[in-house]
């Protein structure tokens, strides 16, 4: 039983809705904290118990505060009850996306600031990120659309013109930025980077009705192109590997259910169509490569429908590591619990979340956006995700209200770190709230069963 007395409560109330964030970290780290077992009869147990880090609306940014054990009597305001026997999912890690926009901003900085960005995100003194998402071909956070096999719009069914050296992502700076991150992680003794790709759109010549990369018909792919697209994705994995960037996994498609998207690269599927694509094409093509397949990669609002299509298909499920989740329409924890309970062998990974120009009215301060990250990540971890991956790592401030890009669809968004017009770095409070999780939940951490109870708890010795 943990008592939150006067001298601790002050730091917690500054977090307001982030109270759960601090307590969550205590749950995860309790076994590792230096402590003394309270003696029989309720005596003893005084002394140092560890450290609490506070981030606040008033400006505190990961400020350290020592914690002490004390007797937890019936007067305790809050009791955190946990069971190390009730071990739940194992954590893979946290990270962000190496978009072309992030690379453009990164390479626009001087060497000192580039090193600072790497340390802030990937170093042991920073957020210790150990995961990364990579767009396959261009996305909206690219200055313009491109693929690895444009071929002048002419069909290339044998992929003879595929860019096997990934030269486009070398030249635009994405691969060099990723290599800098991998080097930072290695030099700091962190967990090995787990990188996964997400396709936005195939080349125009693969799409139904020769549709442009922006937007999509339904179905997206022209007749007979399913296997060509699967082969393309495998070639992308190999091209990155040849550049020294090993790929841990790929999602089958970014936001396949966003069928009315006409603003940026897209490739629409129904849930049964994606199940068939994984079962008949992508799964067999990647089988034996060691690359994980993540289905869905879309908003949690449709998670149940897509899980029932993909994971209830035995063959599609046999190729599928799990489901990727986006956050844009709320917590939707009922859908997550359904998948967790109905398909216990499948993993859930939060693959994208950010605040953009269209929803900044609600999240109109740095602190509100920080709270949004803390709330969603904690909610997701409480409901079964094994990791949480943010959207862009680094943006400028070219958009309304401080949002940034470059983004060819003008869908500017916030990141944890922005580059100001004078090339200085702007570190938002959301960077620190995510750090409360990523710094203290290394790969291999386990979520444990727990409950937060107000007032006295009978029959529990602590």
């Amino acid at each position: 039983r943990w008592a939150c007395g006067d001298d601790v409560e002050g730091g917690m109330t500054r977090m307001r809705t982030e109270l759960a964030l601090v307590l969550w970290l205590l749950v995860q780290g309790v076994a590792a904290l230096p402590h003394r077992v309270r003696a029989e009869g309720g005596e003893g147990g005084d002394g140092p118990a560890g450290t609490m880090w506070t981030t606040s609306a008033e400006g505190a940014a990961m400020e350290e505060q020592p914690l002490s054990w004390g007797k937890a009597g019936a007067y305790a305001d809050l009791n955190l009850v946990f069971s190390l026997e009730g071990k739940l999912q194992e954590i893979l890690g946290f990270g962000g996306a190496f978009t072309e926009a992030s690379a453009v901003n990164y390479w626009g900085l001087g060497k000192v600031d580039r090193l600072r960005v790497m340390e802030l995100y990937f170093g042991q003194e920073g957020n210790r990120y150990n995961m990364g998402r990579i767009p396959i071909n261009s996305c909206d956070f690219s200055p313009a659309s491109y693929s690895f096999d444009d071929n002048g719009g002419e069909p290339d069914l044998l992929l003879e013109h595929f860019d096997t050296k990934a030269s486009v992502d070398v030249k635009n700076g994405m691969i060099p930025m990723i290599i800098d991150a991998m080097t930072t992680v290695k030099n700091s003794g962190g967990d090995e980077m787990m990188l996964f790709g997400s396709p936005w759109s195939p080349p125009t010549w693969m799409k139904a009705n020769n549709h442009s990369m922006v937007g999509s018909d339904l179905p997206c792919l022209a007749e007979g192109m399913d296997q060509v697209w699967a082969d393309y994705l495998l070639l992308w994995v190999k091209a990155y590997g040849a550049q020294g960037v090993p790929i841990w996994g790929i999602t089958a498609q970014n936001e396949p259910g966003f069928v009315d998207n006409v603003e940026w690269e897209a490739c629409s599927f129904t849930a049964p169509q994606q199940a068939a694509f994984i079962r008949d094409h992508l799964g067999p093509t990647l089988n034996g490569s060691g690359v994980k397949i993540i289905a869905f990669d879309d908003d949690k609002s449709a998670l149940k429908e897509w899980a029932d299509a993909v994971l209830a298909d035995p063959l599609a499920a046999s190729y599928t590591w799990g489901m990727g989740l986006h956050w844009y329409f709320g917590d939707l924890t009922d859908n997550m619990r359904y998948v967790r309970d109905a398909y216990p062998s499948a993993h859930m990974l939060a693959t994208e979340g950010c605040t953009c120009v269209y929803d900044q009215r609600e999240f109109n301060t740095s602190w509100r956006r920080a709270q949004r990250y803390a709330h969603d990540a904690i909610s997701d971890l409480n409901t079964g995700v094994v990791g949480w991956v943010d959207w862009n790592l680094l943006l400028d401030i070219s958009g309304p209200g401080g949002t940034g890009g470059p983004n060819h669809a003008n869908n500017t968004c916030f990141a944890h770190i922005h580059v100001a017009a004078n090339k200085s770095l702007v570190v938002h409070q959301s960077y620190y709230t995510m750090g409360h999780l990523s710094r203290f939940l290394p790969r291999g951490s386990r979520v444990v069963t727990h409950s937060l109870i107000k007032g006295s708890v009978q029959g529990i010795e602590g």
Side-chain angles (χ1 to χ4, degrees), residues 115-448:
L115 290 172
R116 186 181 175 211
V117 168
M118 286 293 121
E119 182 58 37
L120 282 168
Y121 275 130
F122 303 101
Q124 284 299 297
E125 299 302 315
N127 276 3
R128 304 176 190 175
Y129 277 5
N130 56 13
M131 300 191 79
R133 186 183 187 213
I134 308 167
I136 299 175
N137 300 336
S138 59
C139 66
D140 50 324
F141 280 94
S142 299
S145 297
Y146 72 88
S147 81
F148 279 44
D149 192 354
D150 289 332
N151 198 36
E154 294 299 317
D156 181 20
L157 302 183
L158 299 179
L159 301 174
E160 294 175 315
H161 300 282
F162 186 91
D163 180 10
T164 57
K165 296 182 179 180
S167 58
V168 62
D169 283 358
V170 172
K171 291 177 182 176
N172 66 23
M174 288 169 60
I175 286 177
M177 183 183 182
I178 294 167
I179 290 173
D180 278 2
M182 293 169 60
T183 302
T184 303
V185 170
K186 182 178 180 180
N187 291 344
S188 63
D191 297 321
E192 184 179 354
M193 285 286 286
M194 299 177 75
L195 299 163
F196 64 97
S198 293
W200 263 249
S201 174
T204 294
W205 55 265
M206 278 194 204
K207 299 179 77 169
N209 302 311
N210 207 37
H211 200 290
S212 72
M213 290 182 68
V214 173
S216 174
D217 289 323
L218 182 65
C220 164
L221 295 171
E223 186 176 353
M225 290 294 180
D226 300 76
Q227 187 56 50
V228 180
W229 182 222
D231 292 340
Y232 182 109
L233 296 175
L234 177 58
L235 284 180
W236 180 88
V237 169
K238 291 180 176 179
Y240 259 70
Q243 291 295 330
V245 180
I247 299 299
W248 165 78
I250 66 170
T251 71
Q253 173 61 41
N254 172 71
E255 297 184 345
F258 189 7
V259 296
D260 55 352
N261 178 11
V262 296
E263 299 180 65
W264 57 82
E265 291 84 343
C267 189
S268 299
F269 289 78
T270 65
Q273 286 168 356
Q274 183 168 96
F277 177 63
I278 293 173
R279 180 191 66 226
D280 301 333
H281 303 284
L282 188 60
T285 300
L286 294 182
N287 192 32
S289 69
V291 177
K292 311 296 185 187
I293 296 175
I294 304 167
F296 193 45
D297 197 17
D298 208 334
D299 193 81
K300 288 178 277 189
S301 55
L303 175 61
K304 182 177 182 295
E305 173 194 353
W306 285 69
D308 282 342
V310 176
L311 300 178
D313 182 316
L315 191 51
S318 71
Y319 293 121
T320 303
W321 175 83
M323 307 293 283
L325 316 176
H326 298 188
W327 78 351
Y328 298 104
F329 294 100
D331 294 345
L332 299 163
T333 50
D334 286 347
N335 287 353
M336 297 177 66
R337 290 190 192 96
Y338 172 82
V339 173
R340 180 190 64 189
D341 296 341
Y343 305 102
S345 63
H347 304 85
M348 288 186 288
L349 176 66
T351 51
E352 184 184 309
C354 66
T355 298
C356 296
V357 64
Y358 56 83
D359 59 359
Q360 66 173 322
R361 181 175 297 179
E362 181 178 358
F363 302 101
N364 59 356
T365 68
S366 178
W367 183 244
R368 285 189 177 182
R369 293 188 292 274
Q371 287 178 309
R372 186 185 190 188
Y373 273 99
H375 174 87
D376 189 88
I378 293 167
S379 174
D380 283 354
L381 288 165
N382 273 326
T383 323
V385 303
V386 298
W388 212 97
V389 180
D390 188 28
W391 194 200
N392 300 274
L393 287 166
L394 192 64
L395 295 175
D396 61 25
I397 54 170
S398 60
T403 58
N407 183 293
H408 71 76
N410 295 319
N411 181 37
T412 52
C413 297
F414 286 99
H416 295 321
I417 304 176
H418 284 246
V419 179
N422 64 1
K423 298 300 181 181
S424 64
L425 295 178
V426 179
V427 182
H428 289 292
Q429 289 169 307
S430 61
Y431 165 81
Y432 297 102
T433 54
M434 284 306 297
H436 279 277
L437 295 169
S438 62
R439 298 186 190 196
F440 303 104
L441 296 179
R443 185 167 299 146
S445 300
R446 293 291 291 269
V447 178
V448 299

